[in-house]
């Protein structure tokens, strides 16, 4: 199979001067995670939900002075994006995506963008249907945050762990999941266009044998429980990859939390499956 066999077309695009609010609404409306940035017929860059998500750090004064939704796409886009030809093979596309850590590649034919291939397109391809491994053979270790961790802590952690975090309760049980989509599409401004605030408290003991009391910790703009998705779709470690892919496509998600007897064992990501295609 080739790019032309699986690519999406036509492609939703934005201009360099469009603001991030317009781009984000376009992503939400059409359920896409990236938009080629076009100036006429010329491809100038690409804007992804990751570009938006990772600029939400609340410690950056620039974004406090100028809300991110009002920023032109040209500031956040990645210039000179990688492109492929219509005849590029699925295996080569999977290898490029993994090597360059990208989730979508514009297809250019005779100098014009004719489509785009995403990881979701690869997941729907015939190559995936030929995989025979079990979930526990390719799943990753679970990376967790507490439901009261701050937005800044979440962004710092998710950047180092490649786009997925499991949110847990104080007792270690599964509470939710945070992805780049949760960050990119989080409405972080309130109705007065201010950053919302909340008080966070934790249950803490006064001493080693003392009584537990709720203690004030810090006032923050957002915490994990505000951003996370729930309920979480789970899969067992001995399930087949075919069953796992079926769950991802059915629920339109790209990761599954692996659970056995109520315990979190790991996480299966779309990238783990695409690695099998690239071999």
């Amino acid at each position: 199979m080739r790019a032309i066999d699986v690519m999406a077309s036509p492609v939703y695009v934005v201009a360099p001067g469009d603001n991030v609010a317009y781009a984000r609404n376009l992503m939400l409306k059409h359920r896409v995670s990236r938009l080629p940035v076009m100036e006429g017929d010329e491809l100038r860059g690409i804007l992804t939900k990751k570009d938006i998500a990772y600029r939400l750090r609340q410690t950056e004064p620039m974004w406090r002075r100028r809300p991110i939704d009002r920023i032109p796409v040209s500031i956040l886009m990645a210039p000179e994006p990688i492109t492929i030809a219509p005849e590029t093979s699925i295996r080569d596309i999977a290898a490029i995506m993994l090597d360059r850590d990208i989730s979508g590649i514009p297809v250019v034919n005779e100098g014009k963008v004719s489509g785009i291939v995403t990881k979701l397109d690869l997941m729907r391809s015939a190559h995936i249907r030929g995989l025979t491994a079990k979930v526990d053979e390719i799943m990753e270790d679970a990376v967790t945050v507490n439901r009261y961790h701050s937005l800044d802590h979440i962004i710092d952690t998710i950047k180092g762990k490649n786009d997925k975090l499991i949110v847990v309760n104080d007792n270690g049980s599964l509470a939710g999941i945070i992805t780049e989509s949760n960050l990119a599409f989080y409405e972080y401004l309130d109705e007065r266009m201010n950053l919302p605030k909340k008080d966070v408290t934790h249950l803490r003991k006064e001493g080693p044998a003392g009584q537990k009391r709720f203690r004030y910790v810090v006032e923050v703009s957002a915490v994990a429980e505000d951003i996370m998705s729930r309920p979480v779709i789970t899969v067992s470690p001995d399930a087949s990859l075919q069953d796992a892919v079926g769950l991802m496509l059915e629920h339109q998600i790209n990761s599954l939390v692996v659970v056995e007897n109520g315990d979190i064992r790991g996480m299966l990501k779309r990238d783990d499956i695409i690695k099998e295609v690239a071999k």
Side-chain angles (χ1 to χ4, degrees):
M1 295 185 75
R2 307 157 299 164
I4 196 171
D5 299 318
V6 300
M7 71 182 189
S9 181
V11 184
Y12 300 105
V13 304
V14 288
D18 289 334
N19 61 34
V20 171
Y22 172 76
R24 184 161 63 173
N25 288 337
L26 200 61
M27 289 179 182
L28 286 168
K29 179 179 179 180
H30 297 291
R31 303 182 70 86
V32 296
S33 299
R34 63 206 50 81
L35 298 166
V37 183
M38 305 290 296
E39 195 165 27
D41 290 334
E42 297 293 322
L43 178 63
R44 298 300 187 194
I46 192 162
L47 179 74
T48 70
K49 63 184 181 184
K50 182 183 294 187
D51 298 319
I52 300 172
Y54 290 169
R55 301 310 289 267
L56 292 182
R57 280 190 55 88
Q58 294 165 343
T59 54
E60 292 193 47
M62 177 181 179
W63 310 124
R64 287 183 183 272
R65 292 194 303 268
R66 189 178 186 188
I68 194 170
D69 277 355
R70 303 174 194 169
I71 295 171
V73 163
S74 59
I75 293 180
L76 296 189
M77 73 180 190
E80 300 178 0
I82 297 167
T83 63
I84 52 176
E87 302 301 317
T88 307
S89 72
I90 295 298
R91 179 170 283 106
D92 287 344
I93 295 170
I96 292 169
M97 287 179 171
L98 294 171
D99 182 57
R100 300 299 184 95
D101 190 24
I102 52 179
S103 298
I105 310 177
V107 181
V108 174
N109 186 24
E110 296 182 353
K112 294 186 177 181
V113 175
S114 58
I116 190 168
V117 177
T118 68
K119 287 180 178 177
L120 178 59
D121 297 320
L122 297 190
M123 292 286 283
R124 292 170 172 161
S125 72
H127 285 268
I128 296 294
R129 293 193 288 273
L131 300 178
T132 59
K134 298 287 187 181
V135 167
D136 61 359
E137 296 176 43
I138 67 170
M139 70 182 188
E140 301 180 19
D141 292 337
V143 180
T144 64
V145 293
N146 186 276
R147 66 188 304 148
Y148 300 117
H149 273 136
S150 70
L151 179 58
D152 283 356
H153 176 82
I154 292 162
I155 292 173
D156 288 341
T157 306
I158 207 170
K159 286 178 73 173
K161 299 300 180 183
N162 197 19
D163 78 14
K164 305 288 184 299
L165 296 175
I166 297 172
V167 183
V168 297
N169 296 304
D170 287 338
N171 64 2
S173 61
L174 180 62
I177 188 169
I178 295 177
T179 70
E180 288 172 346
S181 292
N182 295 109
L183 291 174
F185 303 136
Y186 172 58
E187 295 294 340
Y188 68 102
L189 295 180
D190 63 20
E191 64 277 4
R192 296 182 180 179
M193 299 303 289
N194 297 315
L195 290 168
K197 299 285 179 122
K198 70 184 300 181
D199 291 340
V200 174
T201 56
H202 283 285
L203 193 61
R204 292 286 186 268
K205 287 184 178 181
E206 297 292 339
Q211 183 179 2
K212 288 185 177 181
R213 297 180 184 275
F214 283 104
R215 297 175 58 194
Y216 172 79
V217 178
V218 67
E219 184 183 76
V220 295
S221 297
V223 295
E225 68 178 6
D226 298 322
I227 303 165
M228 70 185 186
S229 295
R230 58 182 174 183
V232 182
I233 307 301
T234 65
V235 68
S236 65
D238 61 352
S240 70
L241 282 190
Q242 296 304 313
D243 288 342
V245 170
L247 281 173
M248 289 181 181
L249 294 177
E250 176 186 355
H251 295 280
Q252 299 182 33
I253 55 178
N254 53 30
S255 62
L256 297 167
V257 178
V258 184
V259 174
E260 186 176 35
N261 298 324
D263 295 328
I264 299 171
R265 288 280 311 278
M267 179 176 284
L268 179 69
K269 300 178 184 177
R270 183 174 58 188
D271 278 5
D272 299 320
I273 298 169
I274 290 176
K275 285 176 185 175
E276 299 299 303
V277 176
K279 289 181 179 178

